[in-house]
Amino acid sequence: MTMKLRKAVFPAAGLGTRFLPATKAQPKEMLPVVDKPIIQYGVEEAMASGCDQIIIITGRGKQAIEDHFDVSYELEKMLEERHKLDLLKIVRSISDMIYLAYVRQKEALGLGHAVLMARELVGNEPFAVLLADDVIDSRVPALKQMVEVFNQKQCSVIAAQVVEGKMISSYGVLDAQPAQGYGGRLFEIRNMVEKPKPEEAPSNLAVIGRYILTPTVFECLAKTPAGAGGELQLTDGMRMLLKQEKMYAYVYEGRRYDTGDKLGFLKATVEFALKRDDLGGPFREYLKGLKL
Ligand code: G1P
C-alpha cells in the first residue's frame, strides 16, 4: 500500500528566549511577519502541501496559538456589525482552516521529545514536521516539493540547504551523496550529526525545518538518549532511523528566513512587506529615502 501524507506536526513549546522581552507573555510563534503570525505561514504551507490534520505541540504560555486558530465570536460579531467584511473574511478563514489538535509538552526536553509527543495522534502513518521559525518563501511550497519526492520514494525526506562557513554548527548537518533525478537537488543520506563543530561537520548541507518522516522514527526517538545540549535531538532519532530505512535530503527551491533570529526576522519582515500589493510601493519609497 502506498503511503500518503496527511498529518503535519508543529513543535511550538520552545521558550523563545531570543526574542525577550517580546516573548515574555506571548508565544514566539505568534510574532507577526508583517501582519501574519509566524506559525500561520507554516500551517498554510502544510495545507497547500496536502495536509489536512495539524498537530501543534504546545506548552505553558502558548494559549494564544490555540485562540488564534479558534473562532473568535466577539471579534466576528463586532466586524459584522461594523460591516468590515474584508477583515471578517480574513478572521473567519483562519478558524475555518483545518482540523487542529494540540498536545502539551510538559517539559522542554528537546525537539525529538516534542515530536515524540505526537506519537498517539499520528499513529502508524507518515507525517510532516514543520519548524515554524523557518519561514520559506517559494513558488511551490517547500513541503509540497518534498511531498513529490516522498510519493515517489516512499521513505523519509528532509529539507536541506547549503550553509557556508562557521554558521553550519547551528544546524543538523548531513553526510549525503547525490541521488538520481530532481535536477541535482536530491541526496541519499549516509549519516547526520546535530550542531557539529565547524571542523567536524561532514559537509555544508544543513537540515532545514521541514521533514517528512515514516512512523518508525517514533520507535527510534523513544530509544534515543539525550544528545547535544542535553536534549533529545530529532537528528539523533533520525540517525537511528537511517540504520533501518533509506532517507533522502531535498534541497528545496525557495528562500528561507530564520525568523527565530532577530536579523532573520527583520529580513523576512522587510522582504514580505516589499512583496505586498498594498504596502510594497510606499514601503519601497520609504526605504529609498533612508540615508543608508
Ligand atoms: C533545529 C534542528 C536542526 C536544524 C534546525 C533548522 O535546530 O535541531 O537539526 O538544522 O532546527 O532550523 P534549532 O534551530 O531548533 O536549534
Side-chain angles (χ1 to χ4, degrees):
M1 219 175 73
T2 52
M3 294 189 283
K4 193 176 173 309
L5 180 72
R6 302 188 303 153
K7 298 181 178 175
V9 175
F10 286 78
L15 292 175
T17 45
R18 283 194 282 178
F19 271 91
L20 281 170
T23 48
K24 188 180 169 212
Q26 172 189 215
K28 64 171 177 165
E29 295 78 10
M30 289 301 295
L31 296 176
V33 168
V34 186
D35 52 9
K36 198 192 283 184
I38 287 171
I39 193 163
Q40 195 180 329
Y41 287 92
V43 169
E44 288 176 359
E45 180 184 328
M47 288 167 62
S49 307
C51 296
D52 57 10
Q53 293 184 39
I54 304 287
I55 299 160
I56 302 185
I57 314 297
T58 65
R60 274 182 293 282
K62 300 285 183 165
Q63 199 70 40
I65 300 178
E66 291 182 46
D67 289 342
H68 181 69
F69 290 107
D70 197 359
V71 175
S72 174
Y73 289 106
E74 299 79 4
L75 180 62
E76 289 189 15
K77 195 160 162 274
M78 184 271 280
L79 292 173
E80 217 168 340
E81 280 166 9
R82 297 190 188 171
H83 301 288
K84 303 222 180 252
L85 299 184
D86 285 357
L87 286 177
L88 182 63
K89 208 169 137 200
I90 292 173
V91 166
R92 280 220 175 115
S93 71
I94 301 166
S95 53
D96 280 350
M97 252 178 195
I98 208 166
Y99 173 84
L100 283 125
Y102 298 89
V103 184
R104 292 274 284 225
Q105 184 187 14
K106 292 182 191 159
E107 288 175 281
L109 298 179
L111 179 58
H113 180 256
V115 171
L116 193 52
M117 295 289 105
R119 188 177 192 170
E120 293 301 317
L121 284 176
V122 169
N124 193 27
E125 60 178 285
F127 63 102
V129 175
L130 292 94
L131 307 185
D133 278 2
D134 285 332
V135 174
I136 303 177
D137 185 27
S138 54
R139 199 175 42 81
V140 178
L143 186 66
K144 194 170 184 187
Q145 299 174 36
M146 295 162 65
V147 168
E148 241 176 72
V149 180
F150 173 76
N151 286 344
Q152 195 207 355
K153 300 286 185 191
Q154 294 283 298
C155 54
S156 300
V157 182
I158 60 190
Q161 180 193 312
V162 169
V163 170
E164 303 290 358
K166 288 201 172 125
M167 278 307 289
I168 194 75
S169 18
S170 308
Y171 296 87
V173 185
L174 300 169
D175 173 7
Q177 63 188 37
Q180 288 250 311
Y182 296 94
R185 293 182 173 276
L186 192 66
F187 292 80
E188 191 178 331
I189 303 173
R190 284 190 292 233
N191 201 356
M192 60 182 93
V193 49
E194 180 67 13
K195 302 193 171 67
K197 292 190 185 127
E199 61 277 16
E200 284 165 14
S203 75
N204 58 4
L205 209 52
V207 175
I208 299 303
R210 299 288 183 276
Y211 312 73
I212 300 175
L213 299 169
T214 61
T216 318
V217 77
F218 290 127
E219 288 160 36
C220 300
L221 284 169
K223 288 187 232 152
T224 303
E231 298 191 336
L232 172 42
Q233 296 291 348
L234 179 57
T235 303
D236 295 340
M238 294 192 301
R239 194 170 48 243
M240 202 184 284
L241 178 65
L242 199 52
K243 298 208 171 91
Q244 302 175 48
E245 297 176 3
K246 263 193 181 193
M247 289 182 77
Y248 287 93
Y250 184 75
V251 180
Y252 57 89
E253 235 176 313
R255 185 155 161 69
R256 166 224 176 215
Y257 301 88
D258 177 7
T259 62
D261 168 75
K262 280 176 202 158
L263 188 58
F265 182 87
L266 287 170
K267 288 179 185 171
T269 304
V270 169
E271 292 188 39
F272 277 68
L274 283 171
K275 280 190 172 195
R276 284 270 293 251
D277 290 342
D278 54 344
L279 289 169
F283 189 46
R284 180 167 281 105
E285 285 312 305
Y286 164 73
L287 291 176
K288 274 189 200 157
L290 293 177
K291 305 267 173 285
L292 296 174

